[in-house]
Structure formats: C-alpha cells, structure tokens
Amino acid sequence: MKKIMFFGGIVVALVVIGALFGPRAIEPPRRSPAVPENLTGRAVIPGIPGARYFVGLDLEPLVRDALAARQREIEFRARSGLTSDLPPAEMLAISGGGDKGAFGAGLLYGWTQAGTRPTFKVVTGVSTGALIAPFAFLGSDYDEVLKQVYTSITPADIASPRSFIAAVGNDGMADNAPLWSLIARFVDQDLLDQIAAEHAKGRILLVGTTNLDARQPVIWNMGVIASSDAPQALELFRSILLASAAIPGAFPPTMISVEVDGQPYQEMHVDGGASTQVFLYPPALRQTAASLGEQMSRQGRVYVIRNSSFTATWDPVVRQTISIAARAIDSLIHTQGIGDLFRIYLTTQQDGLDFNLAYIDRDFVYENKKEQFENAFMVKLFDYGQQLSRAGYPWRKTPPGFSTPVGGAPAAAAAPPTSGQ
C-alpha cells in the first residue's frame, strides 16, 4: 500500500482510538464555550459585521450583499466613464484536492500565458482551492506566488507530525503550524488592501469552511474582512484559509471567536470540504432575490477547476478495519465532489450561465507516489495544468457522464449582457 500522510487510515485510527480512550484523554480547552444550537445563526464576528453567511440557515444576507456588490460595480463603472450595461459576469470556483491544487495553480498560470484569462467578478475556494482563491482573485500579478507555493513546498511546509499517543488526546494527528507560517508569508496587509480595493469595485471573494459544532457550511466574504479596519482582520483572514484546509482528525481545527449579544463564544471550524468540495452560489439565490423585489438575471460564464480526476483509482485494500474504512471515506469524498459539480452545472443551466469545467484527465500519470505534498508530484502536476492551459484549455461543457436532456442545451457562451446581477 502507498504511504498516505494525514489522510484515510490515520484519521480512521484516531476515530477508533478516540472512541475507546477519548473520555480519559485531556483535550485542549476552549477559551470560550461553543455557541448554543439555538443561537448558531446569530453569532457574529466582533467588529466585522457581514463577515460570513450560514447559507443553510438564512440565504438573505448573502443575497443582499450580492445586490450591494452589483451597485458598487455600477458606481465604479460610472466613475470610470463606462455607462453601458454590465458585461457578462465571469465566475471561478476552485475545488479542494490537497496537493492536487498544483493542477489549478498551473492552469491559472498557463491561462495568463495564453492571454485569455478573465478578470473574475466572483472567485470561490474550498480547502486547497481556498489557498489559491485570493491570488486567483487578484490576477496575474500573483502567478509567481502560486508557482512558488505549489512547486517548492514539501510535507514539512504543511504540517509537523505529532506522536500517536499525543495525537489521540489532542485535536489532530499533526500540527499545521507550518501551514500557518506559509500562509502568513504570502498573506500580508498589502494583499488585504488590494483585495479591499477590488471589493470596492463590486468584485466578490468567497471561501468555504465547515462549522463543526453546528455541522453547517459557512461562506466567508473575504472582501468584507479585508475592507474592515478591525485590528484582528488580517489574523482572521489567515485563520479562515487555515481552517478551510484543516482536514478533520488530521489537522487541528481553527477556533474562531464570535459573539451573541455581547456574550463571547468559540466556533470550531474545519475543512470546507467536509461540507462541499466546490461551490459557486446556492441554487435558490435568484429566487430569494425575487422575494426581496430584486432581479438577478445577469448572464455570465462559470469556470470550475476540479483539483482531482473523475476516474476511480485502483489500489488493493488490506483486509483490515482501518484500511477498509479509509478506502470507503476516500471513495465518499470522491463521489461527493462529482455530485457538487452536477449541482453547480444544473444551477448554471437554471440561471442561463455558460458552464466550463477543467479537471485532471487520464493522460496525467505519476507512478509510485509515496506521500502527500510530494514535491516532484506537485511540480509535474503544475506543469501539466500549465501546458494544457497555455495551449488553450478544452473546457468541458458538462460534467463527465452527464447527458443533456433531449431538447436541452448548455447555455450559450456569448449570451447577451443585461443590467441584472
């Protein structure tokens, strides 16, 4: 069996041992209690109103902010002397995938070289996609950062293993302090200022995490956070990126301080992939806007980068509980990611948007991979994505295996612009 760090068997082992010995272990304390269930939707980030959305509980705040972003865009265009209708919106969703994020980073790098990369109205990211998203949002000026991160790091830049005994009583098998240092190296106040400037133009940057206490997906408006003058804005921004990539059981969760009516609490946030592998916006977004008396009928193009393949990987499974459970969890994550793409595709067709998908295809081959974040693997995958994109990536118009209904067709790429969001 291949050596798999931080994933699968190690997580399942922690679950089994934690169930046996957890009650007697001394877990790391919370500084504040968890938010009570009935107060979950009312918890806010002190000093940064509107920082995030519980879309599973209330979609209206996200819709209102999207409408506000449209107004900022209209005003920015007017100041720039542009009085025509809003152009089609370009949207990018970047999936999770661990070290396979090198594919998405390489794809963006080559896209710039091809000279056809858009300026995206919306960028979303989950897990490794969350780490890519801020740089994708700011454009080609940060291509070299993406290349550096995804072609030079090693496992030691991501996490430090803990002893197995220590991990059982702690909050993760490994310490992700090295990943925090990596994030802090590239995510500084200057980067936040640039994101804030783009936010003021009506652009939107979103990152997904999972509130583990509430078992709810959380969407963070990173532009709102970057625009805040709150003293903790930079630390919160970095913490969200760390949380979105915090694989439960493998890495420690990120504890985020919140308030309800002035009372302090702490939320436990982990990998956004525990909720969804990739996201764009909730399917009911336009219907919710209509219920508020607003129309969101803008045409656009959606680009989805799946940092994974669609083909099932073959690997003989040892007939042991941990190996079997680990393989099943890996299969579940793989299948969930495909389901997420189908949901996004159907949403784009419902809303008249042009769907475009990129993923790691069968022609990428790397044999004898020994560990996650193996440098040689990431370099080869980055180059693979770069070469495909530089030559003009053949974006797929439907998810593999999806058949367009008789009489139906994907939305046209050259859909006429309208003044709606």
Side-chain angles (χ1 to χ4, degrees):
M1 291 285 287
K2 298 175 183 177
K3 179 183 178 185
I4 303 179
M5 291 183 64
F6 308 140
F7 293 100
I10 213 165
V11 175
V12 175
L14 286 174
V15 171
V16 173
I17 295 175
L20 293 174
F21 303 107
R24 292 185 292 274
I26 301 175
E27 71 278 3
R30 292 181 186 244
R31 290 200 304 269
S32 302
V35 180
E37 181 180 2
N38 64 319
L39 299 179
T40 295
R42 296 177 52 203
V44 298
I45 304 298
I48 312 180
R52 79 300 180 54
Y53 317 102
F54 283 93
V55 292
L57 301 176
D58 185 5
L59 187 53
E60 187 174 315
L62 173 61
V63 173
R64 291 190 182 279
D65 279 359
L67 293 169
R70 179 178 68 185
Q71 186 59 36
R72 290 197 303 275
E73 184 180 5
I74 292 171
E75 292 171 357
F76 170 74
R77 287 171 57 83
R79 291 194 302 271
S80 303
L82 301 172
T83 57
S84 60
D85 287 342
L86 294 175
E90 310 279 0
M91 292 173 270
L92 174 67
I94 313 171
S95 83
D99 55 5
K100 296 184 184 69
F103 169 71
L107 192 90
L108 288 164
Y109 195 93
W111 203 348
T112 297
Q113 294 174 322
T116 56
R117 179 172 161 185
T119 297
F120 299 105
K121 161 73 174 179
V122 178
V123 176
T124 73
V126 172
S127 197
T128 194
L131 301 179
I132 295 172
F135 307 114
F137 182 75
L138 291 177
S140 59
D141 287 348
Y142 281 87
D143 281 359
E144 293 303 323
V145 171
L146 283 177
K147 182 176 183 180
Q148 181 180 350
V149 170
Y150 280 92
T151 63
S152 67
I153 64 170
T154 66
D157 295 304
I158 304 300
S160 302
R162 291 169 171 165
S163 72
F164 195 77
I165 298 300
V168 170
N170 214 307
D171 55 0
M173 191 64 192
D175 183 353
N176 56 358
L179 180 56
W180 171 267
S181 298
L182 185 67
I183 292 170
R185 189 191 317 168
F186 297 105
V187 177
D188 55 17
Q189 188 59 50
D190 179 64
L191 182 134
L192 259 64
D193 291 344
Q194 292 184 57
I195 290 174
E198 297 305 311
H199 176 79
K201 299 175 185 177
R203 297 180 63 209
I204 301 171
L205 173 62
L206 304 174
V207 164
T209 66
T210 299
N211 180 328
L212 202 57
D213 295 312
R215 205 169 67 176
Q216 287 285 338
V218 179
I219 295 177
W220 296 85
N221 191 323
M222 307 301 275
V224 167
I225 296 169
S227 302
S228 168
D229 58 2
Q232 77 273 28
L234 177 57
E235 181 178 2
L236 177 63
F237 195 104
R238 292 169 173 171
S239 295
I240 293 163
L241 298 183
L242 186 72
S244 189
I247 303 161
F251 296 153
T254 297
M255 306 304 296
I256 295 181
S257 297
V258 299
E259 288 183 354
V260 179
D261 298 332
Q263 178 68 34
Y265 297 98
Q266 270 196 322
E267 295 174 344
M268 181 180 289
H269 285 257
V270 298
D271 196 333
S275 299
T276 181
Q277 294 298 305
V278 63
F279 74 96
L280 183 62
Y281 60 81
L285 185 123
R286 292 193 178 189
Q287 295 92 316
T288 303
S291 72
L292 298 174
E294 298 282 352
Q295 293 299 316
M296 300 178 75
S297 57
R298 185 173 180 177
Q299 300 296 323
R301 302 174 185 84
V302 172
Y303 298 93
V304 182
I305 298 177
R306 173 175 164 83
N307 291 305
S308 186
S309 64
F310 276 90
T311 56
T313 55
W314 186 91
D315 202 9
V317 180
V318 175
R319 192 172 178 180
Q320 292 178 339
T321 301
I322 290 175
S323 296
I324 293 169
R327 184 66 167 170
I329 291 173
D330 184 61
S331 177
L332 179 64
I333 292 172
H334 178 83
T335 305
Q336 177 200 21
I338 295 174
D340 291 334
L341 291 176
F342 286 169
R343 184 187 66 254
I344 291 175
Y345 174 73
L346 291 173
T347 301
T348 64
Q349 301 311 286
Q350 165 190 280
D351 293 345
L353 302 173
D354 178 42
F355 179 85
N356 301 272
L357 172 65
Y359 56 89
I360 303 170
D361 215 335
R362 295 173 181 267
D363 58 341
F364 178 76
V365 178
Y366 185 90
E367 298 180 349
N368 300 319
K369 183 182 177 185
K370 296 179 175 61
E371 59 186 0
Q372 293 294 319
F373 301 100
E374 184 174 310
N375 182 257
F377 167 79
M378 296 179 70
V379 168
K380 184 172 182 179
L381 188 54
F382 181 95
D383 290 343
Y384 168 78
Q386 178 189 359
Q387 291 169 17
L388 284 174
S389 192
R390 184 170 55 196
Y393 190 83
W395 294 91
R396 277 64 169 187
K397 306 306 292 184
T398 63
F402 190 97
S403 298
T404 302
V406 175
T418 71
S419 59
Q421 169 67 29

